[in-house]
Amino acid sequence: MRRRLVTAIGVLALVVGACSTPPTAEEGTTTAAQPGTTGEGTPTTAADEGTTTTAEPMGLDNRAALEEVYAQVEGLTGEERTARLLELAQEEEALSIYGSTNLEDALPLFEAFEDLYDLEPSYYRASSGDVLTRILQEADANFAGNDVVMANGPELAILDEQGLLLPLETPTTENIIDAGVFDTWAAIYMNSFIAAWNTDFVSGDVPDNWNDFLSTFDGALALELGDWDWFATLTRRYFIAELGMTEEEVVELFKNAVAGSTVVDGHTLMAELLVAGEYDAATSLYHHRVTEMISEGAPLQWEPPVRPIIVRPNGVGIMRHVQSPASALLWVEFMLTDGQEVLAAEYRGPASTQVAGGIPEEYAPILVDLEAIAAERDKWESLWEEIVQAAGTEPVGD
């Protein structure tokens, strides 16, 4: 069930990549080729450049350089800190970012960053799982491909566990929700999973609890290929903790509910197909995408919500092998401050407590317990794979 790594061709700008598989807006790859890579996104050596010399191994632990940046800005805050970081960043090579934020939402962030600082990062975009795979492969190959990573919480937890992220020291986390601040990364926005349905095909009241909702749509339901962490949290915190069900009972409930239904690789694609009437309802769409589509007139509805709503942080961290440390820290601090307003304008649920947006508090969303599910990731991925296979259909967009 592992999604394959997708690469793309680009230049040092944010462009839509040419992929071997048609990408969706949410899960496909959009990238700019990084310095030191070929257009296909693979590491280059001196031989790739038409020479006969052997490339020197790239240092994979550059924490000393980041610590020097921290020393340069120690005690500085606000505009004074930003100005010093910018001075240091202007002496570095272009910033390289790997991320899972789709191009539609990422472009306004890069434009705002460039307007503020006249710096243009390169961006490789893929699903969080594929970003993780690429980074791990590059680490094994002693290749420093990116300075910064932006990905879902479970993938960042793995990178942290592998020692591939450096300690994050910044005063800009003070307004980020407590549950979104970690030693090596911080949340930039919250992915809220919601059930939604097509109002052209579904009328009347829709059940607001998961037991009844899952039993309502016979063969006309959609589920997302990689949402094992949503399933794990819903199972642990709701079906078991609140309803007293066993794991086996929950798995059987899902298998019965999804038989003959559609499995989709990508949350945006799943929302687009729901709008097109390919199925009646979906289990775990992203709130920000559904809200945006509704504002544009799409025949979708998600309220009253099916509860509980599961929320998972998407965050940013600096790589152990960072090559442009000041630029990396400048980007991180931008994402945790000015970038929060940009994200809110794109319907993303900001992680800052000072910026409005996201799921209303009265819906009492449940946060994914990253530590708990990371310890049992193999188990939950296997259970979700059983459920996906029970649908009996090939994944769409895979």
Side-chain angles (χ1 to χ4, degrees):
M1 298 303 297
R2 185 181 296 277
R3 283 178 268 183
R4 62 184 178 275
L5 178 65
V6 184
T7 57
I9 300 172
V11 294
L12 271 179
L14 289 167
V15 295
V16 178
C19 303
S20 59
T21 304
T24 69
E26 191 68 29
E27 302 295 337
T29 301
T30 49
T31 131
Q34 295 77 26
T37 66
T38 67
E40 299 301 324
T42 54
T44 61
T45 65
D48 293 320
E49 302 300 329
T51 72
T52 57
T53 58
T54 302
E56 291 293 325
M58 302 186 74
L60 288 184
D61 192 340
N62 209 17
R63 69 187 67 216
L66 181 60
E67 289 172 356
E68 175 59 26
V69 172
Y70 286 148
Q72 290 282 335
V73 297
E74 185 176 2
L76 302 181
T77 58
E79 293 182 2
E80 188 178 8
R81 180 183 177 92
T82 300
R84 181 58 183 143
L85 276 178
L86 180 57
E87 289 176 358
L88 296 171
Q90 288 169 336
E91 299 173 0
E92 298 177 339
E93 297 295 328
L95 176 67
S96 174
I97 301 172
Y98 291 0
S100 60
T101 303
N102 65 294
L103 188 65
E104 181 181 349
D105 293 342
L107 270 175
L109 291 166
F110 284 94
E111 290 169 354
F113 185 78
E114 186 176 358
D115 287 344
L116 284 172
Y117 308 123
D118 196 27
L119 298 175
E120 186 178 4
S122 64
Y123 185 50
Y124 166 85
R125 196 268 157 191
S127 69
S128 266
D130 287 343
V131 167
L132 172 65
T133 298
R134 176 167 177 153
I135 291 174
L136 293 177
Q137 289 175 342
E138 290 181 347
D140 286 342
N142 287 338
F143 177 72
N146 65 316
D147 301 297
V148 170
V149 59
M150 300 193 302
N152 290 330
E155 283 69 33
L156 289 170
I158 291 174
L159 292 174
D160 182 31
E161 181 183 344
Q162 295 294 315
L164 291 174
L165 300 179
L166 291 178
L168 184 59
E169 300 174 11
T170 170
T172 57
T173 57
E174 63 184 8
N175 290 327
I176 301 301
I177 61 170
D178 291 341
V181 179
F182 303 84
D183 291 341
T184 60
W185 64 278
I188 52 177
Y189 58 81
M190 311 304 289
N191 281 322
S192 300
F193 298 95
I194 59 170
W197 49 95
N198 187 314
T199 55
D200 287 342
F201 301 98
V202 179
S203 59
D205 294 333
V206 173
D208 62 0
N209 66 85
W210 283 104
N211 258 332
D212 292 339
F213 182 85
L214 288 170
S215 304
T216 296
F217 306 95
D218 185 17
L221 191 66
L223 60 155
E224 208 279 330
L225 179 64
D227 279 348
W228 65 271
D229 49 350
W230 166 78
F231 169 72
T233 305
L234 187 63
T235 299
R236 293 177 66 254
R237 298 286 301 277
Y238 174 68
F239 286 114
I240 294 176
E242 293 188 24
L243 302 187
M245 297 175 64
T246 65
E247 286 179 10
E248 293 76 12
E249 289 172 335
V250 178
V251 171
E252 193 63 25
L253 170 66
F254 269 85
K255 285 182 177 180
N256 291 334
V258 305
S261 293
T262 306
V263 179
V264 183
D265 186 4
H267 295 89
T268 293
L269 178 59
M270 187 160 65
E272 290 169 347
L273 294 176
L274 178 59
V275 171
E278 293 297 319
Y279 32 80
D280 293 348
T283 59
S284 54
L285 292 161
Y286 281 158
H287 169 260
H288 69 270
R289 189 64 65 223
V290 171
T291 302
E292 181 180 19
M293 288 179 166
I294 290 174
S295 73
E296 296 170 349
L300 296 180
Q301 186 55 270
W302 67 278
E303 294 178 291
V306 182
R307 300 195 200 184
I309 293 171
I310 307 301
V311 177
R312 178 192 65 205
N314 184 297
V316 63
I318 299 175
M319 301 305 303
R320 184 183 68 185
H321 54 247
V322 60
Q323 302 295 299
S324 301
S327 302
L329 184 57
L330 184 64
W331 174 263
V332 169
E333 297 196 351
F334 163 77
M335 289 300 301
L336 299 177
T337 54
D338 294 327
Q340 293 293 294
E341 294 284 358
V342 179
L343 287 165
E346 297 302 315
Y347 297 92
R348 294 276 183 177
S352 172
T353 59
Q354 306 300 305
V355 179
I359 292 291
E361 290 185 6
E362 59 265 28
Y363 290 159
I366 294 176
L367 190 67
V368 171
D369 187 337
L370 297 176
E371 183 176 346
I373 66 169
E376 298 183 310
R377 179 171 181 141
D378 289 345
K379 164 190 164 181
W380 291 110
E381 284 187 319
S382 295
L383 290 175
W384 187 241
E385 182 175 350
E386 284 184 34
I387 291 167
V388 166
Q389 291 176 340
T393 57
E394 289 295 320
V396 176
D398 183 30

